[in-house]
Amino acid sequence: MASIRFENVSKSYGDLRAVDRVSFEVPDNAFFCFFGPPLSGKSTILKLILGLETPDSGEIFFDDRPMRNVGPSDRNVAMVFQNLALFPHMSALDNVRFPLVERKIDEATIQARVAEVTEKLHMAHILHKPPAQLSGGERQRVAIARALVRDPVAYLMDDPISALDARLREETRVELRRMQQDMAKTLIYVTHDQEEAMSVSDQMLILEQGRVRQIGAPHDLYDAPNSAYVASMLGAPAMNMADASEAVQVLSHTPRMNRNAKTVGIRPENLKVARKDGPGRVTAIEPLGATTVLSVETAGITWKAALRGQPAHEIGAPVQLSVDAGSLHCFDARGNALPAA
Amino acid sequence: MSEIALENLGKTFGDFTALAEMNLTIANGEFMALLGPSGCGKSTTMNMIAGMLRPSSGAIRFNGRDVVDVPMAKRGVGFVFQNYAIFTHMSVRENLAYGLRAQGTPAAEINKRVQAFAELLQLDTMLDRRAAGLSVNILQRLAIGRSAILEPSIFLLDEPLSNVDAAFRAVMRSELKSLQGEFDQTMVYVTHDQLEAMTMADRIAVMDHGKLLQVGTPLDIYNAPADTFVAKFIGAPGMNILNGRFVENAGVVAVEVPGLGTLDVPPTLQAAAKDKKAPNIQIGFRPEQVNASQSGLTMHVGFVERIGARTIVHLEHSGSTAKAVLPSDATPPLAGSDWTFSASDEAIRLFDPTSGQALKGRAH
Amino acid sequence: MTNVSAMAPAVEKIDAPATQSARLGLWLTLPAQLLVLFIALFPILMQVYISLTDWSPLDGIPWWKAHELWIGLLNYADLMADNRFWGALWRTMFVMAICVPVQFLLGLGLAVLFVDDFRGKRVLYSTLLVPMMVVPAVAGYMFFMLFQSGGPVNDLLSFFTSDPVRIAWLSDPDLALIAVMIADIWQWTPLMFLILLAGMISVPQDQQMAAILLGASWWRRFFTIVLPRMKSIIIIALAIRVIEIFKIFDTLFIMTGGGPGVATETISVYIYKVTQQELIWSYVAAIALAILIVLSVVSVFAIKRMQRGQKP
């Protein structure tokens, strides 16, 4: 059991500042997710935690113990790779046993550890099968079980389910969350899928070019992003962003907004669309069943509105757009969030 | 512009039936998605339309003319491969010009057309770059452009977005949709992702195990799934299906889900329910049509997933599972509690537990 | 290394840590690297040394004292003026100019046939590879027999003519070289075929499908997709054969012994004769170095072309 803390950690590769004065704390037993676009520093942070890289400056602590001189093998953190790296010629059981057998642990202990882990992960029925005969989600479980039998202080996962198809990803992420709760272990997770990140994590850390932009519970980041960048990273379709002065002209009954607002953001599910003569024209309709995504064009801005259910709309028809005061996000010229009013 | 008609189309590989008795007419200019899990026969169907595979039985007609014996080079079909199959040893220009050169088009004409297409697809700044190492959205445009420049009347796309990052897929989808508007051909799009099918297609053909299960507009299929497979496959998450039995009280039929409670059968389905002799039935309702309620079904809340605009509640009780999707302004139930909910009359669907087929309702 | 090594097979996303450990690695492996370098370079350096002297084992002094017989570049000057050397070099080039293209075209043709499935493919495939497995000396005896004036080749030709054919293949200066080349083509076309087939199979199927759907004929596909994508492997195959032709020896020596006269004397045979029969070792060293330089130029050229082919 361990908390993991970064204090002002930087790491550069040549001119590239991969990780730039990063500080955060992963609480014990948390499901902690790093989220950001490619090259935002996610993978470098994982390497720093694993001990495969040393920080240029700053310090990493596991439970207040500095890790500067602790090598990767002595940190006792486990890693689950993107491609899982299961041994294809071994059964699921032998895969799980492997790390313990390698360390020459006595058979009784091995059996006890394996039984404990496999029971928690509900995988008794698949233990005799080789990886090739397992589904994507089952393989996932074998890889996690193999990481867990060593009783690591934390385990790290680098985009572990991105290779699965959409339906399986939805199921597997819930499964992952459940496993983490059953095992009661710190899980550090990297993904590029915002829905997955919000679904599984207790806390999210959003990165931009090696810097921490915001840390918090997923719904806090979603409801109260501290910047236009964080706001645009979460939610699908992404938040509508418009120049404040233009938005005022387009929205009917504009709520009072912060005078200093340069940009306003409105989440698609908060944008209201009325079938009345107005400045907007419907340009595309995506009926998803549960929701209907409308693209509405007003003087150069394309808005996305996610409407509940299956309201009737026509392409080319005029519409009026509006928003409630509580749903308006305001940002200053540098993209930092401002109080709404 | 072409209409594609598949008549009793079938394909077997030895003992394995990849496709059986497929009947489907794709209208001129239509965007048709072939949707299903891997191994459902969708790619087999498309490869037969392209001419890469020869049908074991049945006919494929383009505008009424059987093309089974027409070799694939002569079918006039544009094809976009899953990995785009861009000729990476050539420049962007050579890729675009490939088909025209093969047809022996004069060089001046080729230059003119390549230039025009490059501008349309916003590839004009990179015409002389090697095609290797270009980003996926550019590869997609190039793959489409390379086929479209020959003005095929039919366009086939084989899961073109499956190798694209989740974050980028929405961009690619809208780009693809707008390109279709640009070229206006009959499009057949193979995918296993229901979201892609729902957002882009005019009509969707849902397939499983070599069989065509249902054809219809995205909303038709979402609202009136023909069977439990389609019901669960469409939607994210898919439809909840619970095993129950009919109970009759004062001439009104309801469905009792053992241990969970009872849901009323809507008036439109009363007649169909009464016609059914066997008491066992499956009841279906969409997760997003579930509301907290005083009476209805009671289940245990296992796990609550808050994802931005919506919250998915995972429900479980005596071996049955269900999901509820609530908007972010609704207060979700607490994990670990028991939650009572119901679904409105319009949301209820009934399915035969043995065949999986939906019971047909009667309009008011 | 318990933690990470258990998962070691897939460290793809996580590359080697830091430059400082790379430097340490260099120091640790330095002795071994120097040894390998020494083993590779020693024979060459020795050749350079001896080629600058007039040393021969018959002189009765050990080779490292060869500098007592220092003659500078005299061996090289002799080489420039040695008509027998130039004749052998020219002959080798001639064999190369005929055999390598013929082997390439035959190999390519066979690869085209074998890239698709047909009945009896496996049997035919194994049969085609047999020549490659025959020991070159044995192949030499086989062709020595075949080309006897009363041998099967003449018998076969007699079948088409009224008079019995009695061509003295191996003792006619022109025909002997042809017979030798036929033997080489017989033995080494399979290797070419094997390499080219491997290359052809690795050309992505969907690229070819895409070309077909764009209306490209077989020939167009072959020249615009298949061959360009095989470029690297073609260069490798050609380079291997060019270098091998310089080393052509056993088959030829058994068939003709380099004769009649010097009619089939290639570089290798010439070197052998100078070494074994005339024992002018310092001169041999000079020839060997000259050839090494020629072949190095060929290899460097091939490698350069290949790298250019692989760059995106």
Side-chain angles (χ1 to χ4, degrees):
Chain A
M1 307 292 140
S3 70
I4 294 171
R5 195 167 86 244
F6 272 47
E7 275 179 14
N8 249 325
V9 172
S10 293
K11 175 79 196 173
S12 301
Y13 299 103
D15 288 340
L16 177 74
R17 292 213 114 186
V19 170
D20 193 2
R21 285 161 286 161
V22 162
S23 300
F24 62 84
E25 176 162 8
V26 181
D28 199 7
N29 297 346
F31 200 126
F32 194 92
C33 184
F34 290 96
F35 183 67
L39 299 177
S40 57
K42 298 172 296 199
S43 295
T44 309
I45 290 181
L46 282 197
K47 287 184 212 173
L48 288 164
I49 297 173
L50 283 168
L52 296 175
E53 294 283 12
T54 344
D56 296 338
S57 61
E59 191 64 80
I60 300 170
F61 299 90
F62 285 13
D63 275 342
D64 298 321
R65 186 173 151 229
M67 288 288 122
R68 179 156 288 275
N69 295 314
V70 181
S73 50
D74 298 322
R75 293 195 181 188
N76 198 20
V77 286
M79 173 86 188
V80 177
F81 290 94
Q82 192 165 19
N83 63 1
L84 304 183
L86 295 179
F87 305 117
H89 57 288
M90 294 184 191
S91 68
L93 179 64
D94 287 335
N95 265 287
V96 175
R97 289 168 52 93
F98 184 81
L100 299 182
V101 175
E102 275 297 280
R103 291 212 259 176
K104 306 216 166 46
I105 288 170
D106 67 281
E107 184 59 30
T109 317
I110 292 181
Q111 288 192 359
R113 280 296 298 151
V114 168
E116 185 194 340
V117 168
T118 53
E119 190 182 331
K120 272 189 186 164
L121 296 178
H122 309 287
M123 51 186 287
H125 60 292
I126 56 169
L127 282 177
H128 61 283
K129 293 184 184 170
Q133 287 175 26
L134 301 176
S135 73
E138 288 168 341
R139 264 181 240 168
Q140 196 75 44
R141 254 184 281 178
V142 178
I144 293 166
R146 188 176 63 179
L148 283 172
V149 280
R150 297 185 296 119
D151 199 21
V153 293
Y155 50 114
L156 276 53
M157 295 190 183
D158 189 357
D159 221 348
I161 64 177
S162 61
L164 307 180
D165 71 31
R167 181 51 45 96
L168 210 50
R169 277 206 303 273
E170 280 164 25
E171 286 164 16
T172 313
R173 71 186 189 213
V174 176
E175 193 76 352
L176 271 174
R177 177 64 173 158
R178 191 169 289 141
M179 282 188 264
Q180 189 266 338
Q181 286 175 344
D182 290 347
M183 299 308 303
K185 280 273 153 67
T186 306
L187 173 55
I188 293 173
Y189 195 84
V190 164
T191 176
H192 63 264
D193 183 337
Q194 55 94 21
E195 189 173 299
E196 188 180 310
M198 285 198 283
S199 160
V200 293
S201 47
D202 294 315
Q203 285 206 43
M204 278 175 85
L205 185 157
I206 300 199
L207 286 160
E208 182 187 15
Q209 293 177 357
R211 292 194 193 173
V212 178
R213 292 312 300 254
Q214 196 170 1
I215 306 176
H219 54 266
D220 288 337
L221 301 193
Y222 187 84
D223 295 339
N226 66 3
S227 60
Y229 176 79
V230 171
S232 64
M233 293 296 290
L234 302 179
M239 184 187 274
N240 294 295
M241 294 284 182
D243 196 270
S245 56
E246 284 180 40
V248 170
Q249 292 171 14
V250 169
L251 298 170
S252 54
H253 350 281
T254 325
R256 255 163 30 94
M257 66 172 82
N258 193 309
R259 275 156 192 254
N260 300 321
K262 188 84 181 65
T263 311
V264 293
I266 302 169
R267 294 236 174 251
E269 65 271 17
N270 296 330
L271 191 64
K272 296 184 173 167
V273 181
R275 299 188 60 185
K276 279 186 211 156
D277 199 18
R281 289 279 176 286
V282 179
T283 55
I285 304 170
E286 290 179 346
L288 303 181
T291 53
T292 301
V293 178
L294 290 190
S295 300
V296 177
E297 216 161 277
T298 61
I301 312 171
T302 303
W303 303 85
K304 294 262 185 193
L307 311 176
R308 289 186 69 192
Q310 302 163 9
H313 277 282
E314 281 158 33
I315 288 187
V319 287
Q320 225 172 49
L321 299 176
S322 62
V323 63
D324 290 340
S327 312
L328 198 66
H329 297 266
C330 294
F331 305 101
D332 66 15
R334 296 171 60 201
N336 294 319
L338 299 166
Chain B
M1 293 290 206
S2 265
E3 178 199 84
I4 306 169
L6 311 179
E7 292 169 4
N8 290 320
L9 195 63
K11 179 71 191 175
T12 52
F13 296 100
D15 289 340
F16 175 69
T17 305
L19 186 73
E21 299 282 302
M22 172 97 161
N23 283 293
L24 178 67
T25 303
I26 302 164
N28 202 348
E30 187 174 27
F31 194 134
M32 172 71 81
L34 302 182
L35 174 68
S38 57
C40 74
K42 56 190 193 294
S43 295
T44 307
T45 307
M46 180 143 88
N47 291 343
M48 287 194 286
I49 299 174
M52 292 179 200
L53 280 179
R54 200 182 159 78
S56 308
S57 59
I60 300 168
R61 294 182 195 285
F62 291 178
N63 285 332
R65 181 171 149 251
D66 192 340
V67 293
V68 165
D69 291 319
V70 179
M72 65 171 153
K74 299 251 155 67
R75 286 197 191 183
V77 165
F79 200 103
V80 175
F81 290 80
Q82 187 166 8
N83 58 6
Y84 306 125
I86 292 300
F87 307 135
T88 44
H89 58 288
M90 299 179 190
S91 66
V92 170
R93 181 192 302 280
E94 285 168 322
N95 268 280
L96 281 174
Y98 194 87
L100 293 173
R101 287 215 180 116
Q103 292 183 345
T105 313
E109 170 73 13
I110 292 180
N111 278 337
K112 216 174 74 195
R113 297 260 295 272
V114 166
Q115 195 60 40
F117 263 78
E119 276 165 29
L120 179 71
L121 298 165
Q122 292 164 26
L123 296 170
D124 43 337
T125 54
M126 53 189 84
L127 270 177
D128 293 307
R129 285 222 350 230
R130 278 267 299 249
L134 296 173
S135 65
V136 275
N137 61 329
I138 290 174
L139 289 180
Q140 168 171 295
R141 272 187 261 158
L142 182 53
I144 291 171
R146 186 178 67 180
S147 293
I149 204 164
L150 297 176
E151 293 169 358
S153 52
I154 292 167
F155 234 107
L156 308 176
L157 298 101
D158 185 10
E159 309 217 22
L161 301 187
S162 59
N163 297 328
V164 178
D165 275 356
F168 209 48
R169 241 175 251 160
V171 179
M172 301 276 283
R173 276 203 313 264
S174 60
E175 197 165 278
L176 196 59
K177 185 74 184 157
S178 71
L179 281 176
Q180 195 232 354
E182 215 61 75
F183 298 126
D184 207 26
Q185 279 110 346
T186 307
M187 287 235 190
V188 183
Y189 186 98
V190 161
T191 181
H192 64 260
D193 185 341
Q194 58 94 28
L195 183 67
E196 283 174 25
M198 294 284 283
T199 48
M200 291 191 287
D202 296 322
R203 284 196 302 157
I204 300 175
V206 187
M207 302 176 69
D208 188 37
H209 286 109
K211 285 209 185 82
L212 177 61
L213 301 177
Q214 190 174 5
V215 187
T217 65
L219 286 182
D220 281 349
I221 289 186
Y222 176 87
N223 292 328
D227 62 19
T228 49
F229 178 86
V230 178
K232 287 192 228 168
F233 200 77
I234 300 284
M239 188 181 272
N240 295 308
I241 310 271
L242 295 170
N243 287 313
R245 58 171 175 260
F246 285 127
V247 286
E248 202 170 328
N249 187 7
V252 179
V253 181
V255 173
E256 186 198 356
V257 182
L260 275 64
T262 307
L263 283 176
D264 292 339
V265 170
T268 48
L269 284 166
Q270 282 288 338
K274 280 176 185 156
D275 287 349
K276 253 191 106 53
K277 297 286 174 280
N280 289 340
I281 192 72
Q282 288 186 318
I283 187 164
F285 48 92
R286 296 237 167 244
E288 52 274 7
Q289 289 167 328
V290 166
N291 300 304
S293 139
Q294 294 300 318
S295 65
L297 304 181
T298 304
M299 293 180 86
H300 186 72
V301 179
F303 182 57
V304 179
E305 241 186 312
R306 257 202 83 169
I307 312 162
R310 59 197 192 127
T311 304
I312 303 179
V313 182
H314 296 258
L315 301 158
E316 187 270 333
H317 194 281
S318 51
S320 306
T321 58
K323 288 170 191 164
V325 173
L326 305 176
S328 53
D329 49 10
T331 316
L334 288 175
S337 66
D338 282 332
W339 193 54
T340 305
F341 61 91
S342 67
S344 66
D345 277 358
E346 306 84 72
I348 300 289
R349 304 283 175 273
L350 296 177
F351 300 93
D352 185 300
T354 42
S355 69
Q357 295 294 313
L359 264 56
K360 295 264 186 321
R362 199 178 52 213
H364 290 284
Chain C
M1 279 300 289
T2 39
N3 273 313
V4 181
S5 69
M7 312 273 158
V11 236
E12 41 159 42
K13 263 198 144 178
I14 292 175
D15 27 58
T19 42
Q20 88 189 50
S21 61
R23 220 172 298 138
L24 177 67
L26 181 68
W27 281 111
L28 289 175
T29 56
L30 197 62
Q33 294 201 17
L34 286 177
L35 185 67
V36 170
L37 207 64
F38 178 74
I39 292 170
L41 280 184
F42 178 73
I44 295 173
L45 293 175
M46 179 184 166
Q47 297 270 303
V48 173
Y49 171 60
I50 290 189
S51 75
L52 299 172
T53 69
D54 194 19
W55 182 80
S56 157
L58 296 181
D59 296 341
I61 54 170
W63 68 268
W64 61 86
K65 286 187 179 165
H67 59 267
E68 291 170 7
L69 303 166
W70 195 263
I71 55 168
L73 293 173
L74 205 62
N75 275 327
Y76 292 93
D78 286 349
L79 191 60
M80 292 298 129
D82 182 349
N83 284 330
R84 200 170 152 200
F85 166 74
W86 287 110
L89 187 61
W90 187 88
R91 229 167 275 119
T92 309
M93 294 288 191
F94 179 76
V95 171
M96 187 173 88
I98 303 294
C99 284
V100 175
V102 170
Q103 285 163 356
F104 173 71
L105 290 175
L106 284 176
L108 192 65
L110 286 169
V112 167
L113 290 179
F114 275 79
V115 83
D116 292 319
D117 278 322
F118 58 87
R119 271 178 75 102
K121 175 170 161 173
R122 278 186 179 198
V123 178
L124 206 56
Y125 182 76
S126 322
T127 317
L128 267 173
L129 296 188
V130 167
M132 210 170 67
M133 294 174 230
V134 174
V135 178
V138 175
Y141 275 113
M142 267 170 54
F143 279 88
F144 180 69
M145 309 292 270
L146 286 174
F147 284 112
Q148 290 303 308
S149 58
V153 172
N154 281 342
D155 289 346
L156 190 69
L157 292 173
S158 308
F159 194 73
F160 297 104
T161 53
S162 46
D163 303 322
V165 177
R166 284 289 171 263
I167 302 173
W169 286 93
L170 298 177
S171 39
D172 180 306
D174 295 331
L175 295 180
L177 198 60
I178 293 176
V180 165
M181 288 194 291
I182 289 174
D184 190 73
I185 290 168
W186 176 83
Q187 184 151 42
W188 295 113
T189 298
L191 177 70
M192 197 66 114
F193 158 64
L194 205 61
I195 299 175
L196 294 178
L197 181 64
M200 208 171 278
I201 287 170
S202 72
V203 175
Q205 201 62 40
D206 51 6
Q207 299 245 334
Q208 304 203 46
M209 282 289 184
I212 296 175
L213 286 160
L214 291 170
S217 63
W218 187 91
W219 287 104
R220 176 170 286 274
R221 254 163 30 230
F222 189 71
F223 284 110
T224 60
I225 311 287
V226 179
L227 278 187
R229 291 209 155 252
M230 288 174 64
K231 200 164 116 191
S232 299
I233 214 132
I234 288 174
I235 292 169
I236 292 174
L238 292 178
I240 289 178
R241 282 311 302 149
V242 164
I243 291 168
E244 288 287 317
I245 292 270
F246 270 88
K247 300 198 258 172
I248 183 170
F249 184 77
D250 8 23
T251 322
L252 186 150
F253 197 74
I254 286 164
M255 284 174 72
T256 66
V262 292
T264 58
E265 191 172 277
T266 58
I267 283 292
S268 293
V269 175
Y270 172 60
I271 292 179
Y272 169 78
K273 284 184 177 167
V274 175
T275 324
Q276 291 302 315
Q277 298 169 358
E278 301 174 25
L279 292 169
I280 330 174
W281 282 29
S282 61
Y283 190 54
V284 170
I287 303 171
L289 274 171
I291 300 300
L292 186 68
I293 291 166
V294 173
L295 289 185
S296 303
V297 170
V298 172
S299 315
V300 167
F301 175 76
I303 291 169
K304 278 265 163 65
R305 285 301 298 259
M306 225 157 64
Q307 283 169 340
R308 209 182 319 151
Q310 281 161 357
K311 251 178 241 157

